[in-house]
Amino acid sequence: MVGSIDTLHHSLCSNGSIHNCNGLEEKLDELRRLLGKTDGDPLRIVSVGAGAWGSVFAALLQDSFGQFREKVQIRIWRRPGKTVDRATAEHLFEVINSREDVLRRLIRRCAYLKYVEARLGDRTLFADEILKDGFCLNMIDTPLCPLKVVTNLQEAVWDADIVVNGLPSTETREVFEEISNYWKERITVPIIISLSKGIEAALEPVPHIITPTQMINRATGVPIDNILYLGGPNIASEIYNKEYANARICGAEKWRKPLAKFLRQPHFIVWDNSDLVTHEVMGGLKNVYAIGAGMVAALTNESATSKSVYFAHCTSEMIFITHLLAEEPEKLAGPLLADTYVTLLKGRNAWYGQMLAKGELSRDMGDSISGKGMIQGVSAVGAFYELLSQSSLSVLHPEGNKPVAPVELCPILKTLYKILITREKSSQAILQALRDETLNDPRDRIEIAQSHAFYRPSLLGQP
């Protein structure tokens, strides 16, 4: 296992408590027993995908359990060949030299010189190379612990007991279809924890949403009871810096409760919930409206009044959509709004909206942005719009009492679609959507949803 055991032990027991370290080993032993692991056979955990959250998740596990190298093996897979540009290498060098602990660690590992050479332009660094030293390309300012990086997907996953999906939803299907080829001879069924937030829309046989856990289930044949979703109102870098955070792991009771216990840390509280699909869908929905929030913030010079007006409209649309997707949406109101709030404050989707509105990014640059990774909200805008524009899902419009597609009651979503997908409008259009005098009170939209039999289980692929 990569890294100093002494260093890891110090990070675990910085409060001087040996009991806490012993408690970690007990949690590990308990999970090993549930998975039928015998002495000499380590629990194999691999994170597939090395974006910010996937890398932080792997680093949290490594920091907590990496010292028990005979009992657990923690690895992360990422594609090889991704280069680090000169500007990023220069910034990385500054980050290294600003952190004495990181600087000393690299010098001890005889790895410091390559960062000096990269800063001077005499060497090209690769994303998988720096990840081994604890640097995620999408989160350079937050050094992690050293990680065991594998660039061969078959080597990474073929014998894994727990696979963490840290991929964007747009890449999940393709990668797990490849993984399924390596699992054809497996006797045991792995557990999969998906961190991915995003959806696809399918129109046949009826309009419905496809979530990352459903993609994984269809690609691999792993039973849905062995596939879980973990999400919550948090920012990856802040979690690694031990800001207090919470998350919720959703799925079948057999695995969600022991995994919640295993993953729980003093600064990272993990709860559990049986409602897998709707939590997963809401994790994708908040990214949609975060992009608009970033636009509003940039276009109004961070006006608190304008941002609050936007928040009222976007949350009413989210609640409206939630009523279509969830039988008891009031149970989701807290987690839904909390996850939305943090994403609007500091998420990459809000940042993307700001950069578009300021003209510092353009849609022609695509959805994968250097230093940030995949902007999931863009594809989610397209998916939700496509789904909710189907006439077969029509609802009564409050004015005229005539049936319309649900998207007609979601002006923010419609405007984002025209800005991001068809590109027929500029970012300024988001302000016009807020200022349209024909809009009803956002509260009216919520009352419409609550006063009709809106719930459509078919939208979640349920009978």
Side-chain angles (χ1 to χ4, degrees), residues 45-211:
I45 303 174
V46 60
S47 180
V48 176
W53 189 204
S55 297
V56 163
F57 196 84
L60 289 173
L61 293 175
Q62 177 66 34
D63 276 339
S64 295
F65 301 105
Q67 61 178 318
F68 309 112
R69 59 173 64 188
E70 294 182 0
K71 295 184 176 184
V72 65
Q73 179 187 79
I74 300 161
R75 298 178 292 182
I76 186 167
W77 171 83
R78 72 154 295 134
R79 293 182 178 88
K82 177 73 173 179
T83 59
V84 179
D85 61 51
R86 175 79 179 272
T88 303
E90 291 175 350
H91 181 56
L92 180 55
F93 186 75
E94 293 174 1
V95 172
I96 291 168
N97 284 283
S98 70
R99 290 277 299 268
E100 184 177 346
D101 58 332
V102 176
L103 180 61
R104 290 183 179 277
R105 185 181 78 201
L106 291 175
I107 291 173
R108 283 198 306 270
R109 291 163 55 87
C110 300
Y112 180 66
L113 181 59
K114 66 185 178 186
Y115 293 98
V116 176
E117 293 173 340
R119 175 183 177 273
L120 296 173
D122 296 336
R123 176 174 181 157
T124 299
L125 295 172
F126 293 89
D128 57 288
E129 175 186 14
I130 66 172
L131 188 59
K132 293 176 183 178
D133 294 325
F135 303 109
C136 172
L137 188 58
N138 294 343
M139 197 174 56
I140 291 296
D141 290 312
T142 305
L144 309 174
C145 64
L147 294 170
K148 173 65 176 176
V149 180
V150 181
T151 55
N152 181 292
L153 185 58
Q154 181 175 6
E155 178 187 346
V157 304
W158 75 273
D159 62 347
D161 300 297
I162 298 175
V163 175
V164 178
N165 175 33
L167 296 162
S169 61
T170 48
E171 298 178 18
T172 293
R173 186 195 308 277
E174 177 186 355
V175 172
F176 275 88
E177 283 177 349
E178 182 178 349
I179 288 173
S180 69
N181 295 324
Y182 310 136
W183 283 352
K184 289 180 179 177
E185 306 300 323
R186 280 191 71 125
I187 298 173
T188 59
V189 180
I191 297 169
I192 300 170
I193 303 172
S194 180
L195 311 178
S196 183
K197 296 176 178 176
I199 69 156
E200 291 180 357
L203 304 182
E204 299 295 338
V206 295
H208 64 282
I209 280 170
I210 304 173
T211 67

Side-chain angles (χ1 to χ4, degrees), residues 115-423:
Y115 293 98
V116 176
E117 293 173 340
R119 175 183 177 273
L120 296 173
D122 296 336
R123 176 174 181 157
T124 299
L125 295 172
F126 293 89
D128 57 288
E129 175 186 14
I130 66 172
L131 188 59
K132 293 176 183 178
D133 294 325
F135 303 109
C136 172
L137 188 58
N138 294 343
M139 197 174 56
I140 291 296
D141 290 312
T142 305
L144 309 174
C145 64
L147 294 170
K148 173 65 176 176
V149 180
V150 181
T151 55
N152 181 292
L153 185 58
Q154 181 175 6
E155 178 187 346
V157 304
W158 75 273
D159 62 347
D161 300 297
I162 298 175
V163 175
V164 178
N165 175 33
L167 296 162
S169 61
T170 48
E171 298 178 18
T172 293
R173 186 195 308 277
E174 177 186 355
V175 172
F176 275 88
E177 283 177 349
E178 182 178 349
I179 288 173
S180 69
N181 295 324
Y182 310 136
W183 283 352
K184 289 180 179 177
E185 306 300 323
R186 280 191 71 125
I187 298 173
T188 59
V189 180
I191 297 169
I192 300 170
I193 303 172
S194 180
L195 311 178
S196 183
K197 296 176 178 176
I199 69 156
E200 291 180 357
L203 304 182
E204 299 295 338
V206 295
H208 64 282
I209 280 170
I210 304 173
T211 67
T213 60
Q214 292 171 335
M215 296 176 201
I216 294 168
N217 168 251
R218 296 173 188 182
T220 64
V222 171
I224 200 68
D225 283 357
N226 275 50
I227 307 175
L228 304 101
Y229 164 74
L230 185 140
N234 44 60
I235 300 295
S237 61
E238 294 183 351
I239 291 177
Y240 196 73
N241 288 331
K242 291 186 167 44
E243 297 289 340
Y244 179 79
N246 56 61
R248 188 170 277 104
I249 189 164
C250 305
E253 184 173 357
K254 177 183 179 182
W255 293 120
R256 75 172 191 266
K257 288 187 177 297
L259 284 170
K261 183 177 180 180
F262 177 70
L263 297 172
R264 190 174 297 130
Q265 299 184 16
H267 68 284
F268 183 58
I269 304 303
V270 180
W271 297 309
D272 70 278
N273 190 284
S274 62
D275 195 346
L276 169 66
V277 177
T278 47
H279 276 81
E280 203 175 7
V281 169
M282 295 311 127
L285 184 60
K286 52 92 177 179
N287 286 334
V288 167
Y289 292 96
I291 295 177
M295 292 176 179
V296 170
L299 293 169
T300 63
N301 196 28
E302 299 289 342
S303 163
T305 300
S306 295
K307 289 193 288 186
S308 67
V309 170
Y310 177 83
F311 189 77
H313 283 294
C314 81
T315 51
S316 72
E317 288 189 19
M318 294 176 76
I319 293 169
F320 175 83
I321 294 170
T322 304
H323 276 76
L324 285 168
L325 298 170
E327 189 169 13
E328 298 178 325
E330 65 278 1
K331 292 184 178 180
L332 290 173
L336 169 61
L337 296 182
D339 206 359
T340 301
Y341 180 65
V342 75
T343 305
L344 267 57
L345 283 176
K346 200 175 179 180
R348 77 180 70 175
N349 289 276
W351 170 87
Y352 179 74
Q354 285 185 317
M355 294 300 103
L356 284 180
K358 291 178 179 179
E360 295 181 25
L361 290 177
S362 75
R363 284 293 294 120
D364 293 335
M365 297 173 68
D367 305 341
S368 184
I369 306 298
S370 177
K372 290 291 182 179
M374 180 62 68
I375 308 300
Q376 290 279 227
V378 177
S379 63
V381 167
F384 277 109
Y385 181 91
E386 183 178 20
L387 191 74
L388 299 178
S389 62
Q390 300 303 307
S391 59
S392 60
L393 302 173
S394 63
V395 297
L396 287 178
H397 196 286
E399 296 178 5
N401 200 33
K402 61 180 182 178
V404 296
V407 76
E408 295 302 321
L409 296 178
C410 300
I412 302 298
L413 176 59
K414 282 184 64 178
T415 302
L416 288 171
Y417 182 81
K418 292 177 180 179
I419 295 171
L420 299 170
I421 307 302
T422 64
R423 307 186 193 183

